[in-house]
Amino acid sequence: MSESPASPLPRTNVMKRMFCISMSPLPKDPGCQSATAERLEIELERAPELAAPGGALRLEGEGLPDRILVVHCTDGRFRAYRNHCACGGFRVDPVPGEEKIRCCTLMQSTYDYEGRRLSGSAKKDLDLLPLEQVEGTLKIDLTGVAGTPPSFARKG
């Protein structure tokens, strides 16, 4: 049996899930990012949280239309998600050593790297945001992010 590769993120535990605590860090260097209404840019050399596959960075607050999770996936690519689980709007985290994203709650809805729902109480997929890497910068399209997450929009 082979061991899974080491992950920069610690495994979560039941107590953290009970209180919906994300394991993905906020940036140590807030200057690693800049945002407009249309785009979020992250300078990778200033974001050590994304240096290794399995790393993640949680971006929230001023200047952003919503919470964003950026993951350096185990396949070497970067992906960005609207950081709202479809089971209740809670934050999501990458699963250490696996190619999955999971809700930070006890509900543990799970998604693949493309944001497709795999298991749990969520009824919809995660919102995967368009992203391109230009040299050492990630450019994330935020044009579809403003407002209430689609899974929580009121009908009528």
Side-chain angles (χ1 to χ4, degrees), residues 51-125:
L57 191 57
R58 186 167 46 103
L59 302 160
E60 324 183 326
E62 199 170 319
L64 292 173
D66 206 340
R67 299 186 314 238
I68 306 296
L69 176 71
V70 180
V71 178
H72 188 167
C73 300
T74 56
D75 64 7
R77 294 178 51 203
F78 292 92
R79 289 182 178 81
Y81 308 89
R82 184 180 225 175
N83 199 348
H84 285 272
C85 181
C87 71
F90 302 101
R91 289 173 180 87
V92 293
D93 281 323
V95 179
E98 298 183 36
E99 295 183 358
K100 297 178 184 172
I101 306 292
R102 182 170 45 215
C103 182
C104 294
T105 68
L106 292 171
M107 292 180 254
Q108 295 188 47
S109 291
T110 306
Y111 308 86
D112 67 15
Y113 275 166
E114 298 306 315
R116 293 181 295 251
R117 181 188 146 323
L118 298 173
S119 65
S121 61
K123 302 294 184 227
K124 297 183 179 193
D125 296 339

Side-chain angles (χ1 to χ4, degrees), residues 8 11 32 34 39 41 54-56 60 83 97 99 101 111 116 127 133 145 148 151 156:
R11 286 208 171 268
C32 73
S34 61
R39 185 181 351 213
E41 293 190 5
E60 324 183 326
N83 199 348
E99 295 183 358
I101 306 292
Y111 308 86
R116 293 181 295 251
D127 294 326
Q133 184 175 350
V145 176
T148 305
S151 54

Side-chain angles (χ1 to χ4, degrees), residues 29-48:
D29 177 0
C32 73
Q33 65 170 327
S34 61
T36 66
E38 294 83 29
R39 185 181 351 213
L40 168 64
E41 293 190 5
I42 300 170
E43 293 178 44
L44 291 172
E45 69 180 30
R46 295 180 68 178

